[in-house]
Amino acid sequence: MTFPAESSRLAQVRAAPRTWLERCGLPRRAAQDVLVAAGEACADAIEHGHRHDPGGPVVLRAAARVDDLWLTVSDSGEWKTPRPEASAHRGRGPTLMKAMMRQVTVVPGASGTTVRMHTRIA
């Protein structure tokens, strides 16, 4: 799904994959982990990637095969170097994503940032 980088869209974006995950046969707990990880990646794309371009496109993709699930969140915004020391109450998105998924890769680039996440599914 493609959506504008607007925080008002996060509830819809977080809810959209729920039915798809149920059709994939994920247990409720595993589906919740995937939804949290996807929501964090999308929130970061909106808040950080598109901080200078509100409303720019963010793309959420998901794919499942047999016992693997992949999520990709891409923005077309500008990379912002993380500064966890700036606030003790912020910057937990990447930590949450890594706790919920088996593998998380963040690839910044000239045309935006892509977050790739993978987990195993039973």
Side-chain angles (χ1 to χ4, degrees), residues 14-32:
R14 287 179 171 141
R18 187 176 308 277
T19 302
W20 179 79
L21 289 168
E22 289 171 359
R23 286 195 323 257
C24 288
L26 258 69
R28 183 173 293 227
R29 173 64 191 211
Q32 186 61 31

Side-chain angles (χ1 to χ4, degrees), residues 9-71:
R9 301 296 297 264
L10 277 175
Q12 175 189 5
V13 168
R14 287 179 171 141
R18 187 176 308 277
T19 302
W20 179 79
L21 289 168
E22 289 171 359
R23 286 195 323 257
C24 288
L26 258 69
R28 183 173 293 227
R29 173 64 191 211
Q32 186 61 31
D33 287 351
V34 170
L35 291 170
V36 169
E40 288 297 323
C42 290
D44 282 356
I46 291 169
E47 181 179 352
H48 303 298
H50 284 286
R51 68 193 179 286
H52 300 303
D53 180 26
V58 177
V59 179
L60 168 62
R61 289 186 179 95
R65 286 193 205 135
V66 185
D67 57 359
D68 288 296
L69 185 137
W70 291 271
L71 292 175

Side-chain angles (χ1 to χ4, degrees), residues 40 44 47-48 83-96:
E40 288 297 323
D44 282 356
E47 181 179 352
H48 303 298
R83 293 185 13 194
E85 73 283 354
S87 174
H89 305 290
R90 309 243 333 127
R92 294 191 176 108
T95 302
L96 279 171

